Amino acid sequence: MEKFENLSGIAAPMPLVNIDTDMIIPKVFLKTIKRSGLGVNLFDEMRFDREGNEIEDFVLNNPAYRDAQIIVAGDNFGCGSSREHAPWALADFGIKSVISTSFADIFYNNCFKNGILPIVLPQEAVDVLMKDAEKGANARMDIDLEAQTVTTSDGEVFSFELDSFKKHCLAEGLDDIGLTMEKASAIDTFEASASAARPWV
C-alpha cells in the first residue's frame, strides 16, 4: 500500500445521502478478488446507461472531474453491504479521500486498509467544501494528513479528528499485512524459541 502524502487535488461534489456500497460498485462486479481493475466500474449504474454509454450529467463524467482525487459526499457514505470491493474501486479510480458528515463503520475502516482517507466533518464544513468542489477543476483542495486539515481553494481551513493508529497506518502505507511484517523479527524470534522449547511440534 502506498504511503498517504499531503494531497492537493480536484474534489468532485456528490451531495447525495446514503450512497451505499452497491452504488459504489454494483454486485455484478464482485466476482474478482483482485484489487485492480475495478475503477472502470466505479458508480457503474450512475455513470453508464444500459448500452454502456456515459450519462452526461453524472459528476465523474464531467471533464472537470474525470481526474478527481477527492469526493465531497452527502451523509452516511458507504452504507449497505460490507464489501471491500467498494474502497478497491475508489482507489483504483484514483480517489484518495472522501469527505462526509458520516460513514458506515465497516466501509470507514476498510478505507484505511486500502490507502483512502475518510474525513468526517460537521455539516456546516461539508456545505462549504461542497460549494468549493462545485467550482470545478480550477479549485483544488489541500488535505494535510499530519496537520489533520482540509483547505479550500480560497484558503479556508477545517480541522478533522483522526485515530492516531489509523493515521500512522495511512502515513506509513501499512495495511494488515504490512502491520504484521513490521513484527517479522519478533515473530521469527518467537518461532525459533518455540521450536527449541518444543522440537516435537
Side-chain angles (χ1 to χ4, degrees), residues 130-188:
M130 192 75 71
K131 287 182 180 179
D132 194 52
E134 289 169 357
K135 295 176 182 177
N138 292 325
R140 301 180 74 86
M141 286 184 193
D142 294 314
I143 297 175
D144 187 325
L145 176 61
E146 178 60 31
Q148 296 178 206
T149 58
V150 181
T151 305
T152 70
S153 61
D154 296 323
E156 191 168 356
V157 180
F158 298 97
S159 297
F160 59 89
E161 298 295 321
L162 188 61
D163 175 82
S164 60
F165 176 71
K166 289 181 169 62
K167 179 178 179 177
H168 167 74
C169 290
L170 266 185
E172 296 301 321
L174 298 172
D175 56 12
D176 288 345
I177 294 173
L179 284 167
T180 301
M181 294 308 296
E182 275 196 323
K183 308 294 184 184
S185 178
I187 293 170
D188 290 343

Side-chain angles (χ1 to χ4, degrees), residues 16-35:
L16 291 173
V17 300
N18 302 322
I19 294 177
D20 64 28
T21 52
D22 195 54
M23 294 167 71
I24 296 170
I25 184 72
K27 58 183 176 293
V28 68
F29 301 112
L30 304 186
K31 298 173 184 176
T32 182
I33 57 171
K34 294 170 61 178
R35 297 187 184 196

